[in-house]
Amino acid sequence: MTLAHDLPDAATAVPAVDEDPAACRFRVHRSTMTSDRIYRRELERIFAHSWLYVGHESEVRNPGDYVRRPVGGRPVFMVRGAKSGQVHVFHNTCTHRGAVVCRKDAGNAKVFSCFYHAWTFDSEGRLIGVPDREAYGAGRDFSTLGLKSVARVASYRGFVFASFDADIVDLETYLAGAREYLDLVIDAADGEMEIIKGTNQYCINANWKLLVENSIDGYHAVSTHDTYFKYLLSLGTDLSTGVSGSATDLGNGHAVIEYQAPWGRPVAKWEPLFGEQAKKEIERLRQQLIARHGEERGRRIADTNRNLLIYPNLVVNDIMAVTVRTFMPLAPDRMDITAWEMAPRDELPQLRQRRLDSFLTFLGPGGFATPDDIEALESCQQGFSSGGVQWNDISRGMGRASQANDEKQMRAFWRRWQEQVGATVEEDER
């Protein structure tokens, strides 16, 4: 709720994202988190005009494999064509009368038949079956009534994106500096990464942009996740070195924090919590990465943690597990979240188990971290309704070289958000 008396006079109105470099001040008006008008504008100006993550090619490895999911709030499904071998992303709606065509979340199918009137389509999207076709007359051209592809579909190293904007820049241009960090994730397994079946799915009663901030926020870790750090200490993990790293603006709203952390990474850095059984294999993988990519890049892949935001709503956490997470607003104060675990193909069972355990015990909705984060974000949303305070401050680090616990990465997101949404405070008062 935005209170009219909390807003400045129209004569002194400012953008909802207000930056003053000379004063080392960056602030965001809280109406961005509560306004229904701004929420609708986000759907129109951000989610309809960005590249959005659909899934990973490993999820549709074989001809006819498919997954369905909402993307940008719209039902779509991704399928590998049986004849072409290409990955398609179709609008999940029958071209006859509109019913959903793909009705299961995942599987393998030669055809997709609309249950309403039994119009049938193949995995390439072609209309191949119409009951009583003769009723339409000999001159009707059914070739134009195949499934409709999303306007743009492209893949970067197995990550499949779609856009509803036919005129958007190509995917690699859009990804800008984020490409380097996706490369670091994929090169950890020499390009052979896969999404493990199964998802974490949950809702948060908070604005989606709060999760954007939280996902790339190193500042909250020690205070919010105290229980997890006590758990690590109980396992013998040395936390005396703390967390050190940097934040980077990657362009186009993308950003990353990259840091050294004492809890290790099961890709190639061993810590006590990974168990003695995995020690030799993890060290072998570490040396393999250094041999393959050179000392500097190999150690960077093996030893460095990354929380990567690909604007607007894809987060890749390359930490104690590689988690791919998307989130979609349902209202100004509610969002859906889906997360998948990514891992190298054909890795040893004990390492795969270690990843899955980390995926659940830290990053899962019932784990150490995610419930803490949900409580924090919902608490923020509740606090916004109190009024009295107009602005959130996101200025940390403006007076020094960026660190992983600063907010440079969040400012990168908010600048792009303001560029697309164009929100001003006096507009929200109306």
Side-chain angles (χ1 to χ4, degrees):
M1 178 176 64
T2 302
L3 303 180
H5 65 265
D6 285 337
L7 295 165
D9 186 87
T12 60
V14 294
V17 178
D18 178 42
E19 182 173 11
D20 186 346
C24 292
R25 186 190 72 196
F26 191 104
R27 60 183 188 169
V28 176
H29 199 271
R30 291 185 175 182
S31 62
T32 61
M33 304 292 191
T34 61
S35 165
D36 187 64
R37 181 193 57 77
I38 286 179
Y39 160 69
R40 293 194 303 271
R41 188 178 287 192
E42 288 173 338
L43 299 182
E44 296 166 0
R45 298 189 181 184
I46 295 178
F47 290 96
H49 296 282
S50 298
W51 281 103
L52 305 174
Y53 178 73
V54 179
H56 192 266
E57 289 183 14
S58 63
E59 297 180 87
V60 289
R61 195 182 309 279
N62 303 308
D65 283 354
Y66 67 88
V67 293
R68 71 163 187 172
R69 55 192 48 141
V71 173
R74 310 187 195 192
V76 304
F77 69 101
M78 177 172 70
V79 59
R80 188 175 293 276
K83 292 186 177 180
S84 68
Q86 294 181 345
V87 174
H88 305 288
V89 180
F90 294 117
H91 290 279
N92 197 358
T93 179
C94 182
T95 53
H96 176 221
R97 298 274 287 280
V100 165
V101 173
C102 181
R103 292 168 55 82
K104 294 183 179 180
D105 289 339
N108 182 279
K110 294 181 179 179
V111 298
F112 297 89
S113 184
C114 175
F115 83 106
Y116 194 9
H117 297 97
W119 281 34
T120 303
F121 307 85
D122 67 13
S123 58
E124 306 288 356
R126 293 184 292 254
L127 177 61
I128 58 173
V130 176
D132 194 18
R133 184 183 291 248
E134 294 76 15
Y136 291 89
R140 187 64 187 272
D141 182 6
F142 285 95
S143 67
T144 64
L145 292 173
L147 294 173
K148 300 305 178 184
S149 175
V150 173
R152 297 283 297 277
V153 178
S155 176
Y156 182 77
R157 302 204 66 183
F159 287 79
V160 179
F161 293 80
S163 178
F164 303 107
D165 181 357
D167 298 321
I168 196 169
V169 298
D170 67 89
L171 177 61
E172 293 197 8
T173 299
Y174 179 87
L175 290 174
R179 290 169 54 193
E180 174 187 358
Y181 291 87
L182 285 178
D183 289 341
L184 291 172
V185 173
I186 299 301
D187 287 344
D190 198 24
E192 294 295 321
M193 296 290 277
E194 66 179 0
I195 292 290
I196 300 172
K197 290 184 178 181
T199 59
N200 287 333
Q201 295 177 290
Y202 51 101
C203 292
I204 302 178
N205 291 321
N207 188 274
W208 69 280
K209 299 183 291 299
L210 290 172
L211 186 54
V212 169
E213 295 177 350
N214 173 267
S215 298
I216 50 174
D217 177 15
Y219 192 25
H220 78 283
V222 173
S223 56
T224 305
H225 301 311
D226 177 68
T227 302
Y228 180 66
F229 288 110
K230 289 177 179 175
Y231 165 70
L232 293 180
L233 284 171
S234 74
L235 295 177
T237 303
D238 181 8
L239 301 180
S240 62
T241 58
V243 176
S244 62
S246 61
T248 306
D249 179 345
L250 301 175
N252 294 336
H254 319 310
V256 68
I257 55 173
E258 188 171 24
Y259 53 97
Q260 300 284 336
W263 49 80
R265 303 178 68 249
V267 171
K269 184 181 178 184
W270 182 83
E271 290 291 339
L273 75 162
F274 299 145
E276 286 291 333
Q277 185 180 10
K279 190 171 186 178
K280 290 183 179 180
E281 176 63 12
I282 288 176
E283 182 57 28
R284 183 189 71 80
L285 290 172
R286 190 168 188 271
Q287 294 304 318
Q288 188 179 79
L289 287 170
I290 292 171
R292 185 184 303 141
H293 299 287
E295 184 80 16
E296 181 179 352
R297 193 166 192 273
R299 291 188 181 278
R300 186 181 179 196
I301 294 172
D303 299 342
T304 305
N305 295 267
R306 287 164 283 276
N307 290 32
L308 171 66
L309 166 71
I310 296 179
Y311 183 94
N313 67 330
L314 170 63
V315 170
V316 180
N317 289 318
D318 186 10
I319 46 179
M320 74 286 291
V322 183
T323 299
V324 179
R325 176 196 287 165
T326 62
F327 34 94
M328 184 66 200
L330 303 175
D333 59 355
R334 188 169 174 82
M335 66 180 121
D336 267 343
I337 301 93
T338 305
W340 301 265
E341 171 63 5
M342 175 173 276
R345 292 183 64 185
D346 304 323
E347 70 178 344
L348 291 179
Q350 61 264 37
L351 294 189
R352 176 62 61 88
Q353 182 57 44
R354 180 67 259 168
R355 288 179 187 277
L356 291 173
D357 186 69
S358 294
F359 178 55
L360 292 174
T361 59
F362 184 74
L363 294 158
F368 280 106
T370 298
D372 294 337
D373 291 329
I374 292 173
E375 173 66 19
L377 303 192
E378 292 187 344
S379 179
C380 290
Q381 197 71 39
Q382 292 162 16
F384 297 151
S385 67
S386 177
V389 179
Q390 300 179 38
W391 300 90
N392 282 352
D393 186 86
I394 310 182
S395 306
R396 183 176 172 85
M398 290 185 75
R400 66 181 182 190
S402 68
Q403 299 180 13
N405 61 356
D406 287 337
E407 294 164 346
K408 177 181 180 179
Q409 65 280 12
M410 299 176 202
R411 294 191 288 272
F413 167 84
W414 277 110
R415 290 187 188 103
R416 178 59 178 157
W417 181 93
Q418 178 65 23
E419 181 183 328
Q420 285 194 292
V421 176
T424 58
V425 173
E426 82 274 15
E427 284 181 336
D428 196 62
E429 187 176 14
R430 296 197 295 264

